[in-house]
Amino acid sequence: MENLKKYINEINDFPKEGIVFKDINPIYKKPKIWNELMLPLQKLISTTNPDYIAGIESRGFISASALAFKYEVGFIPIRKPNKLPGKVIGLNYKLEYGEDRLEIQQNSFEKDSKIIVIDDLLATGGTAACAGKLIREAGGNLIGYAFLVELTELKGRKNLDTNLFVESLIQY
Ligand code: AMP
């Protein structure tokens, strides 16, 4: 996986000063490279056999929906506020500066469905922890998380439930 780092660009001070943004878009432009990156996630889906794959808006949607389509597993979008129609369950969470919020549609899956949450990158873990709480509040059986990239120094795993699997493909 280390060899794939050359397809990840680092953009300084985006979207805010002080952040080194990991841009993985070059990977999506090369299907063979994208496939190589996703192989461990493909295995994970076959072995854990989830009922649904939840993706976090917006970059999490890319890999989550690709896997869901390939393995004929349902896809659940977890979105920023005021994007989902109908009744939603929402939760605020802390960012480094300020607050954000994620929402999920009520009754979007059957109670106790096995669900994996996927996002492009694990930083402090606040976003993923919030997504996991939403799945549980909506009645789902959260079984684990998967990320394409993990920024290990930020220790985001600490914010996630230790009973669950947390898979990341490329670590910085
Ligand atoms: P966090 O809640 O701190 O774990 O942040 C994770 C979310 O923010 C993910 O949805 C990422 O897409 C985004 N994110 C945070 N830091 C970065 C970064 N350095 N490069 C790219 N995306 C990031």
Side-chain angles (χ1 to χ4, degrees), residues 50-120:
D51 298 309
Y52 293 94
I53 298 174
I56 305 177
E57 181 172 356
S58 56
R59 290 181 294 273
F61 286 176
I62 300 169
S63 298
S65 58
L67 284 168
F69 188 77
K70 181 163 181 182
Y71 288 91
E72 297 188 2
V73 175
F75 170 73
I76 295 167
I78 297 181
R79 300 207 61 178
K80 306 267 166 66
N82 308 316
K83 304 271 189 181
L84 289 168
K87 287 192 176 165
V88 299
I89 304 172
L91 258 184
N92 290 6
Y93 65 100
K94 278 197 184 129
L95 294 174
E96 216 173 330
Y97 303 103
E99 244 191 10
D100 216 335
R101 181 179 175 81
L102 288 175
E103 294 180 347
I104 190 171
Q105 276 173 314
Q106 260 183 28
N107 310 318
S108 45
F109 49 78
E110 307 72 33
K111 201 177 173 324
D112 295 328
S113 298
K114 278 167 71 178
I115 300 175
I116 292 180
V117 170
I118 293 192
D119 203 1
D120 64 329

Side-chain angles (χ1 to χ4, degrees), residues 130-158:
C130 177
K133 278 185 201 146
L134 279 178
I135 295 288
R136 285 180 165 153
E137 278 200 21
N141 171 15
L142 176 69
I143 58 171
Y145 294 94
F147 306 90
L148 305 187
V149 176
E150 177 177 3
L151 307 181
T152 53
E153 270 187 12
L154 297 177
K155 301 190 180 359
R157 282 172 185 259
K158 275 194 170 171

Side-chain angles (χ1 to χ4, degrees), residues 19-22 59 119-127 151:
I19 306 265
V20 183
F21 188 85
K22 300 282 192 283
R59 290 181 294 273
D119 203 1
D120 64 329
L121 185 140
L122 175 65
T124 65
T127 309
L151 307 181

